[in-house]
Amino acid sequence: MTEQMQVTRSWFDEVIVPTYAPAAFIPVRGLASRLWDQQDREYIDLAGGIAVNALGHCHPALVKTLTEQGQRLWHVSNWMTNEPTLRLARKMVDATFADRAFFCNSGAEANEAAFKLARRYAKEKFGEQKNQIIAFLQGFHGRTFFTVSVGGQSHYSDGFGPRPGAIQHIPYNDIAALKELISDSTCAVVMEPLQGEGGVLPADKEFAKAVRELCDQHNALLIFDEVQTGMGRTGSLFAYMQMGVEPDILTTAKALGGGFPIAAMLTREAVAQVFQPGVHGTTFGGNPLACAVAETAFDLINDPAMLAGVKEREGWFRAELEKINAEYHCFSEVRGQGLLLGAVLTEAFAGKAKAFVDAGIEQGVLVLVAGPNVVRFAPALNLTAEEFAEGMRRFTLAVAQVVKA
Ligand SMILES: *Cc1c(COP(=O)(O)O)cnc(C)c1O
């Protein structure tokens, strides 16, 4: 009678592969930007499931779509298409630079598709020798072996045997380094418009422009990994829309399904054409249940009022974090864009980001780290003024707790 057994956090240490070190509490329900644990303790959620729950927990429109689609059709596999996948693709290409979409289930899988597509495109158009992928140090693109190898933190790809080859890393925002390395053998340059996991570090406008120009000069594809920055997070549907630069391939995931697993790779017609039947695929990709939920999330997020609200909320956070800093002097800078913000810790608190997260849990507010020196905020885009005020009241207590420790 599994349902009647009292589940405790200690089970994790017994039956789950120890990939993670989760918090001591177990959340059991959520509503908007609040979560409650097994003991009915309340948390204000400023972490948003790591930039996933863009509409908060259990948004009524998403619940409605999920239950309606759940009673109609879940999965048919890709030897048949389905209405939700076609509607979602139509909306995404209408709203972006892209002509076609490929759906899959996670950010890593979308990037895996993007990197394979870039390699195949270069091979077909220019020949086998054009296979170099250039990516950036501290970049993060997922945990499959190809994506972790393109990611710019080698400790994630060490220790698994020989890595996929022809991948090189250079410092982010370094135009000279890219100029030096890029050549006609480069098939793709891969970047996050704003490095999320790597420390909430935005690309300079000049840098993004230079990357685009250098890609064009060398017939290399520009891949934007918008898995974290996508779906309204920065105040536009995608971050590239504020950069004056368009990619050739874009990947997105996290917030796309508002908490339901789904990812997409978007691209132009000519590039898409090399993925002919049989070249790539995935069993669950584009399934009707995920696409129906994502379509509803898309409609709610791709709305001028929602996107303007993200900018407004960025202002709330910046003002409040400045106030906290005036008292506690623990941040050297607040960087990022929209509702993907990082409070960079001063020397005195170097390496202590996790202590702020832990103190937050004690005070009933959830925030994230982005590396050891940055406290990251990635809340729901529809965070209310009341949720924000209560969350920051608790975060201020958490800061005080760390500073006085
Ligand atoms: C989270 C993330 C990924 C990986 O997504 P998964 O769904 O965990 O595979 C890839 N790229 C970026 C920029 C991310 O933030």
Side-chain angles (χ1 to χ4, degrees):
M1 296 293 275
T2 313
E3 302 141 67
Q4 289 171 4
M5 290 172 80
Q6 177 57 47
V7 177
T8 63
R9 167 64 178 75
S10 65
W11 286 26
F12 183 93
D13 304 320
E14 295 160 17
V15 297
I16 303 284
V17 174
T19 317
Y20 307 107
F25 69 99
I26 301 183
V28 292
R29 71 195 163 89
L31 189 65
S33 287
R34 283 184 158 84
L35 278 176
W36 290 269
D37 69 12
Q38 290 177 308
Q39 285 70 42
D40 213 31
R41 193 160 177 262
E42 180 201 277
Y43 303 83
I44 302 286
D45 186 1
L46 303 179
I50 316 189
V52 167
N53 300 302
L55 298 164
H57 298 275
C58 297
H59 189 286
L62 296 183
V63 172
K64 183 166 181 284
T65 299
L66 182 68
T67 36
E68 282 178 6
Q69 187 64 38
Q71 288 170 6
R72 187 172 300 135
L73 189 67
W74 293 19
H75 176 83
V76 293
S77 91
N78 284 305
W79 74 271
M80 289 172 272
T81 189
N82 65 80
E83 291 181 355
T85 203
L86 296 173
R87 278 200 305 265
L88 178 61
R90 177 71 71 194
K91 287 181 179 180
M92 292 186 81
V93 303
D94 281 353
T96 63
F97 75 96
D99 304 307
R100 291 181 182 260
F102 171 81
F103 292 115
C104 47
N105 311 289
S106 68
E109 215 190 322
N111 284 326
E112 186 83 19
F115 305 159
K116 283 177 71 180
L117 179 61
R119 283 261 175 90
R120 182 58 72 101
Y121 178 78
K123 175 180 175 289
E124 288 197 4
K125 302 283 159 182
F126 303 97
E128 200 79 64
Q129 78 294 341
K130 191 174 178 68
N131 59 20
Q132 180 199 42
I133 293 176
I134 299 179
F136 297 96
L137 295 170
Q138 301 305 120
F140 183 77
H141 303 296
R143 296 294 201 122
T144 66
F145 202 28
F146 197 177
T147 57
V148 92
S149 302
V150 174
Q153 295 175 268
S154 57
H155 64 97
Y156 286 148
S157 56
D158 288 341
F160 298 103
R163 288 190 188 83
I167 300 164
Q168 279 172 291
H169 299 95
I170 52 175
Y172 195 60
N173 280 328
D174 188 338
I175 299 175
L178 182 59
K179 251 188 200 154
E180 175 85 22
L181 185 62
I182 198 169
S183 74
D184 290 346
S185 302
T186 307
C187 75
V189 176
V190 182
M191 66 183 266
E192 295 163 83
L194 185 170
Q195 288 190 332
E197 304 301 310
V200 191
L201 187 65
D204 302 333
K205 273 224 159 91
E206 287 312 300
F207 175 69
K209 254 186 71 198
V211 174
R212 178 71 271 178
E213 284 167 13
L214 287 164
C215 283
D216 290 342
Q217 280 169 28
H218 295 281
N219 292 313
L221 296 177
L222 175 55
I223 302 174
F224 272 2
D225 178 345
E226 294 228 30
V227 168
Q228 187 156 167
T229 54
M231 296 308 296
R233 177 68 40 200
T234 66
S236 48
L237 182 62
F238 291 105
Y240 84 82
M241 294 170 173
Q242 295 175 70
M243 298 171 82
V245 164
E246 283 187 357
D248 302 296
I249 302 176
L250 180 150
T251 56
T252 193
K254 290 195 164 86
L256 181 58
F260 200 95
I262 179 171
M265 177 190 72
L266 306 175
T267 190
R268 302 179 196 287
E269 179 65 22
V271 181
Q273 283 306 323
V274 306
F275 263 11
Q276 288 294 312
V279 178
H280 188 66
T282 171
T283 295
F284 293 119
N287 76 78
L289 194 54
C291 289
V293 176
E295 185 194 356
T296 299
F298 187 93
D299 289 343
L300 291 167
I301 291 170
N302 192 30
D303 167 74
M306 178 70 77
L307 297 172
V310 172
K311 295 277 189 201
E312 190 190 343
R313 284 160 181 77
E314 175 181 357
W316 300 353
F317 273 93
R318 286 187 180 277
E320 200 58 35
L321 288 169
E322 205 168 295
K323 259 200 241 164
I324 292 173
N325 207 29
E327 186 163 357
Y328 296 103
H329 313 287
C330 46
F331 308 134
S332 60
E333 153 185 36
V334 174
R335 66 192 182 200
Q337 200 182 10
L339 287 174
L340 182 52
L341 295 170
V344 185
L345 300 175
T346 55
E347 277 300 318
F349 297 94
K352 291 212 174 129
K354 182 72 165 47
F356 289 79
V357 173
D358 292 342
I361 292 170
E362 281 182 46
Q363 299 297 340
V365 61
L366 306 179
V367 298
L368 299 163
V369 302
N373 301 320
V374 177
V375 179
R376 174 173 38 156
F377 300 85
L381 311 186
N382 59 357
L383 182 75
T384 67
E386 186 276 327
E387 291 160 339
F388 169 78
E390 181 57 20
M392 289 314 265
R393 188 186 70 76
R394 296 180 192 184
F395 182 67
T396 306
L397 296 174
V399 170
Q401 189 178 319
V402 175
V403 169
K404 283 165 194 159

